[in-house]
CSV table of all heavy atoms in Angstrom, one decimal:
chain,number,residue,atom,x,y,z
A,23,THR,N,61.2,182.0,141.9
A,23,THR,CA,60.0,182.0,141.0
A,23,THR,C,60.1,180.8,140.0
A,23,THR,O,59.1,180.1,139.9
A,23,THR,CB,59.9,183.2,140.0
A,23,THR,OG1,59.8,184.4,140.9
A,23,THR,CG2,58.7,183.2,139.1
A,24,TYR,N,61.2,180.5,139.4
A,24,TYR,CA,61.5,179.4,138.6
A,24,TYR,C,61.2,178.0,139.4
A,24,TYR,O,60.6,177.1,138.8
A,24,TYR,CB,62.9,179.4,138.0
A,24,TYR,CG,63.3,180.6,137.1
A,24,TYR,CD1,64.5,181.0,137.0
A,24,TYR,CD2,62.2,181.2,136.5
A,24,TYR,CE1,64.8,182.0,136.2
A,24,TYR,CE2,62.6,182.3,135.7
A,24,TYR,CZ,63.9,182.7,135.5
A,24,TYR,OH,64.2,183.7,134.7
A,25,GLU,N,61.7,178.1,140.6
A,25,GLU,CA,61.5,176.9,141.5
A,25,GLU,C,60.0,176.6,141.7
A,25,GLU,O,59.5,175.5,141.7
A,25,GLU,CB,62.3,177.1,142.7
A,25,GLU,CG,62.2,175.8,143.6
A,25,GLU,CD,63.0,175.9,144.9
A,25,GLU,OE1,63.5,177.1,145.1
A,25,GLU,OE2,63.2,174.9,145.5
A,26,ALA,N,59.3,177.7,141.9
A,26,ALA,CA,57.9,177.6,142.2
A,26,ALA,C,57.0,177.1,141.0
A,26,ALA,O,56.2,176.3,141.0
A,26,ALA,CB,57.3,178.9,142.7
A,27,ILE,N,57.5,177.6,139.8
A,27,ILE,CA,56.8,177.2,138.5
A,27,ILE,C,57.1,175.7,138.2
A,27,ILE,O,56.2,175.0,137.7
A,27,ILE,CB,57.1,178.2,137.4
A,27,ILE,CG1,56.7,179.6,137.7
A,27,ILE,CG2,56.6,177.7,136.1
A,27,ILE,CD1,57.2,180.7,136.7
A,28,LEU,N,58.4,175.4,138.2
A,28,LEU,CA,58.8,174.1,137.7
A,28,LEU,C,58.8,172.9,138.8
A,28,LEU,O,59.0,171.8,138.5
A,28,LEU,CB,60.2,174.1,137.3
A,28,LEU,CG,60.5,175.1,136.0
A,28,LEU,CD1,62.0,175.3,135.8
A,28,LEU,CD2,59.7,174.7,134.9
A,29,GLY,N,58.4,173.3,140.0
A,29,GLY,CA,58.4,172.3,141.1
A,29,GLY,C,57.3,171.3,140.8
A,29,GLY,O,57.4,170.1,141.2
A,30,GLU,N,56.2,171.7,140.1
A,30,GLU,CA,55.2,170.6,139.8
A,30,GLU,C,55.7,169.5,138.8
A,30,GLU,O,55.0,168.5,138.8
A,30,GLU,CB,54.0,171.3,139.2
A,30,GLU,CG,53.4,172.4,140.0
A,30,GLU,CD,52.2,173.1,139.3
A,30,GLU,OE1,51.9,172.7,138.1
A,30,GLU,OE2,51.6,174.0,139.9
A,31,LEU,N,56.8,169.8,138.1
A,31,LEU,CA,57.2,168.7,137.2
A,31,LEU,C,58.0,167.5,138.0
A,31,LEU,O,58.1,166.4,137.5
A,31,LEU,CB,58.4,169.4,136.2
A,31,LEU,CG,57.8,170.4,135.3
A,31,LEU,CD1,58.9,171.0,134.4
A,31,LEU,CD2,56.6,169.9,134.5
A,32,GLY,N,58.3,167.7,139.2
A,32,GLY,CA,58.9,166.6,140.0
A,32,GLY,C,60.3,166.3,139.6
A,32,GLY,O,60.9,165.2,139.9
A,33,GLU,N,61.0,167.2,139.0
A,33,GLU,CA,62.3,167.1,138.6
A,33,GLU,C,63.3,167.7,139.6
A,33,GLU,O,62.9,168.5,140.5
A,33,GLU,CB,62.7,167.7,137.1
A,33,GLU,CG,61.6,167.2,136.0
A,33,GLU,CD,61.8,165.8,135.8
A,33,GLU,OE1,62.7,165.1,136.2
A,33,GLU,OE2,60.9,165.2,135.1
A,34,ASN,N,64.6,167.4,139.5
A,34,ASN,CA,65.5,167.9,140.4
A,34,ASN,C,66.1,169.3,139.9
A,34,ASN,O,66.7,169.4,138.8
A,34,ASN,CB,66.7,167.0,140.6
A,34,ASN,CG,67.7,167.4,141.6
A,34,ASN,OD1,67.4,168.1,142.6
A,34,ASN,ND2,69.0,167.1,141.4
A,35,LEU,N,65.7,170.4,140.6
A,35,LEU,CA,66.2,171.7,140.3
A,35,LEU,C,67.4,172.1,141.0
A,35,LEU,O,67.4,172.0,142.2
A,35,LEU,CB,64.9,172.7,140.6
A,35,LEU,CG,63.6,172.3,139.9
A,35,LEU,CD1,62.5,173.3,140.4
A,35,LEU,CD2,63.7,172.3,138.4
Side-chain angles (χ1 to χ4, degrees):
T23 302
Y24 297 153
E25 183 178 9
I27 295 172
L28 300 177
E30 296 180 5
L31 298 177
E33 307 295 348
N34 183 29
L35 303 178

